[in-house]
Amino acid sequence: MAGSESKGDLPDGAGCIPRHVAIIMDGNGRWARQRGQPRHAGHRAGVESVRRVIEACVEHGTEILTLFAFSSENWRRPRSEVDMLMELFMVALGREICKLDKNNIRLRVIGETSAFPQKLQRQIAEAEARTADNDGLLLQIAANYGGRWDITQAARRLAQQVASGELDPADIDEACFARATAFGDVPDPDLFIRTGGEQRISNFLLWHCAYSELYFTPVLWPDFDKETFAEALSEYARRERRFGQASEQLDKANTG
Ligand code: FPP
């Protein structure tokens, strides 16, 4: 079970199985190019990887899966690709929502979704409402999300509360700030995976991955399957998560 292995007085998820996995799904375009296909073929194949990784999380007992589907910066892509991605989200959502619901999965979309086409916004709201009471895997799709946007909107929210007299500035601490972010009610990611070979965070969960274990793989997202996910979990299980403590303290906590 998630977080069941004791490692002393550490956050849940510090055990062998990460409680929360976050993924930057990169490499769709290159995957398509390698096959002489247009970029959208890579994005379509990427949807199959999304399905596989959801199943793998359920099988391994990971509780939360957060996928970076569309960054605040992805609007800079050619219009045709952005339109295609919006269409793909709508089709995938329409096609998969029954299955997600049947499998007790709760869907949540995080980001500035007000910039999306009205139809997609409606579909997102319906899908979230339909799965709201499910208590299996929490699937979070970060869409039109940026880590800096999230920190900025949290600061604005707190400033408004201070201005209205609801909040004393002296009460703003890390926990209070974290609650004001878009991921404020879930634990931070334990494992942060990026596929496609690049080794950067690209404005994803900047506040929340302070203590996440980072795992970079050259595997392109459409090739990411249950086996490659299991490799990431094995590597995670080998890591020593210290959260600022010394190694000796953890040894003592585990034997004592
Ligand atoms: C990055 O690869 C991928 C994206 C910007 C889109 C990710 C979208 C999907 C996997 C589609 C399905 C998602 C959901 C949640 C239904 P890239 O295009 O940057 O690849 P490249 O670096 O090889 O060009």
Side-chain angles (χ1 to χ4, degrees):
M1 277 304 290
S4 61
E5 181 165 293
S6 164
K7 281 203 174 185
D9 190 17
L10 297 176
D12 286 348
C16 276
I17 296 292
R19 188 175 175 196
H20 183 175
V21 175
I23 307 183
I24 296 185
M25 309 179 286
D26 198 12
N28 295 350
R30 276 164 285 162
W31 184 92
R33 199 169 56 237
Q34 284 172 4
R35 285 160 180 76
Q37 294 176 4
R39 294 178 61 81
H40 64 77
H43 294 315
R44 282 213 185 87
V47 178
E48 297 308 312
S49 298
V50 170
R51 190 178 297 133
R52 287 194 294 265
V53 85
I54 291 171
E55 283 173 11
C57 282
V58 171
E59 285 162 15
H60 286 280
T62 283
E63 294 168 39
I64 305 160
L65 172 65
T66 301
L67 300 175
F68 204 12
F70 193 87
S71 75
S72 321
E73 291 74 31
N74 283 151
W75 295 108
R76 297 179 192 148
R77 292 191 176 206
R79 179 70 197 263
S80 57
E81 184 171 347
V82 170
D83 288 349
M84 184 271 155
L85 281 169
M86 296 297 150
E87 187 63 32
L88 187 64
F89 294 148
M90 283 193 266
V91 171
L93 207 55
R95 210 178 47 198
E96 303 295 332
I97 192 63
C98 279
K99 214 186 293 169
L100 293 177
D101 193 27
K102 214 167 84 199
N103 284 285
N104 196 26
I105 293 167
R106 178 153 69 102
L107 177 79
R108 195 179 194 201
V109 178
I110 292 176
E112 277 191 286
T113 52
S114 58
F116 289 153
Q118 288 287 333
K119 190 175 162 207
L120 179 55
Q121 290 185 47
R122 269 198 307 277
Q123 244 186 319
I124 289 172
E126 281 164 21
E128 287 182 332
R130 178 170 175 169
T131 61
D133 294 331
N134 292 344
D135 58 4
L137 177 75
L138 171 60
L139 172 62
Q140 304 192 111
I141 306 289
N144 197 17
Y145 177 85
R148 288 181 174 176
W149 163 80
D150 199 359
I151 291 170
T152 307
Q153 67 84 30
R156 190 184 312 117
R157 195 179 287 186
L158 296 178
Q160 280 162 350
Q161 289 175 12
V162 168
S164 67
E166 276 170 77
L167 181 66
D168 183 342
D171 291 335
I172 300 178
D173 56 12
E174 288 184 17
C176 166
F177 195 93
R179 277 195 301 277
T181 68
F183 292 91
D185 57 346
V186 294
D188 289 343
D190 303 294
L191 175 61
F192 181 110
I193 298 174
R194 180 175 187 145
T195 64
E198 311 288 357
Q199 303 201 357
R200 53 176 172 260
I201 294 174
S202 295
N203 196 22
F204 193 20
L205 296 159
L206 299 182
W207 171 274
H208 313 85
C209 69
Y211 280 103
S212 303
E213 292 299 323
L214 306 182
Y215 181 83
F216 299 105
T217 170
V219 173
L220 304 175
W221 178 247
D223 290 328
F224 196 79
D225 57 15
K226 289 187 178 181
E227 205 177 308
T228 38
F229 183 69
E231 281 165 21
L233 292 194
S234 299
E235 167 66 24
Y236 173 82
R238 283 194 291 273
R239 303 265 179 99
E240 182 184 67
R241 304 190 72 195
R242 292 201 293 273
F243 299 93
Q245 288 184 304
S247 204
E248 294 74 13
Q249 290 174 285
L250 299 177
D251 292 343
K252 211 165 144 196
N254 282 335
T255 51

